[in-house]
Amino acid sequence: MSRAAIRYAKAILSLAQDQKATDNVQKDMSNILAAVDQSDELKMLLVSPVIKMDIKRESLRKVFASATSITYGLFDILIDNKRIALLEKVAKDYITLYDQLNNTQVAKVTTAVPLDDTLKTKVLAKVKELTGNEATIENIVDESIIGGFVLRVGDLQYNASIANKLAGLKRELSNNTYVSKI
């Protein structure tokens, strides 16, 4: 976590709280993360020292035309301070702070197939039991885990995947020095 990014995120959260717009700014930050994640061109726009700051400002305003004035202000401050490359980190930090403020967190559940609604409900109940907080689920599909699931909530991780169990069995068998002679 960049110190500068967290400072900007805290300032934006404070301003959003004052204007009672934390939810709207959170949506903007989620949109920013999704857009940066999906667009190599947007990533290049943010980090390129060749592209002029005015072009960056106009581009961001066009890409995020429905953003709040608070988010536009963030763009302006980051551009004026030549810190626009931090935008993605600021957005991530804002979302983390927003979730802490609302006692929610993201539970990342990796499964071999997409979760259905019944399993999502069970996972949310388990997360509430383990952490005492509400959570939203981010389902990551990874066929390499074969079956089962891997649950990550904050610093906690629970790995109940078939791949993990097979790896453990393999370690156990390879560490077994006793060989039976029949």
Side-chain angles (χ1 to χ4, degrees):
M1 216 184 280
S2 163
R3 282 185 169 175
I6 194 73
R7 284 195 307 265
Y8 284 111
K10 284 180 180 178
I12 294 301
L13 180 64
S14 178
L15 181 60
Q17 285 178 303
D18 291 347
Q19 296 184 15
K20 299 190 182 343
T22 55
D23 294 343
N24 292 332
V25 174
Q26 192 274 346
K27 289 175 189 164
D28 289 349
M29 296 301 139
S30 294
N31 290 338
I32 290 168
L33 283 181
V36 171
D37 188 46
Q38 295 171 2
S39 172
D40 291 335
E41 292 84 10
L42 185 55
K43 285 178 193 171
M44 286 302 298
L45 173 85
L46 295 174
V47 299
S48 176
V50 178
I51 301 172
K52 293 182 181 179
M53 292 298 174
D54 289 339
I55 294 171
K56 290 182 181 190
R57 186 182 328 262
E58 273 306 305
S59 298
L60 289 170
R61 287 182 178 264
K62 286 181 182 175
V63 170
F64 302 105
S66 63
T68 63
S69 60
I70 295 171
T71 302
Y72 281 162
L74 174 64
F75 296 159
D76 292 341
I77 289 169
L78 290 174
I79 288 170
D80 292 346
N81 293 334
K82 296 181 177 35
R83 294 286 187 105
I84 195 63
L86 291 176
L87 181 61
E88 182 180 14
K89 290 178 183 159
V90 172
K92 283 181 184 174
D93 291 344
Y94 179 92
I95 291 170
T96 300
L97 292 170
Y98 174 85
D99 287 345
Q100 289 172 355
L101 180 70
N102 293 296
N103 290 324
T104 61
Q105 52 198 355
V106 176
K108 294 184 180 183
V109 182
T110 305
T111 55
V113 295
L115 285 176
D116 62 17
D117 290 337
T118 306
L119 286 174
K120 281 183 184 180
T121 305
K122 288 180 181 178
V123 169
L124 288 173
K126 190 64 173 174
V127 170
K128 174 89 172 163
E129 177 187 320
L130 291 172
T131 66
N133 292 333
E134 297 295 325
T136 57
I137 290 188
E138 179 182 325
N139 185 206
I140 302 162
V141 177
D142 180 1
E143 294 175 4
S144 71
I145 70 167
I146 304 169
F149 65 94
V150 179
L151 173 64
R152 286 187 191 97
V153 182
D155 293 339
L156 300 173
Q157 176 173 314
Y158 180 72
N159 191 338
S161 67
I162 304 274
N164 184 55
K165 289 178 182 176
L166 288 173
L169 185 59
K170 181 179 178 183
R171 276 191 306 274
E172 192 176 311
L173 290 173
S174 66
N175 289 337
N176 188 357
T177 56
Y178 176 74
V179 178
S180 171
K181 293 184 181 182
I182 300 179

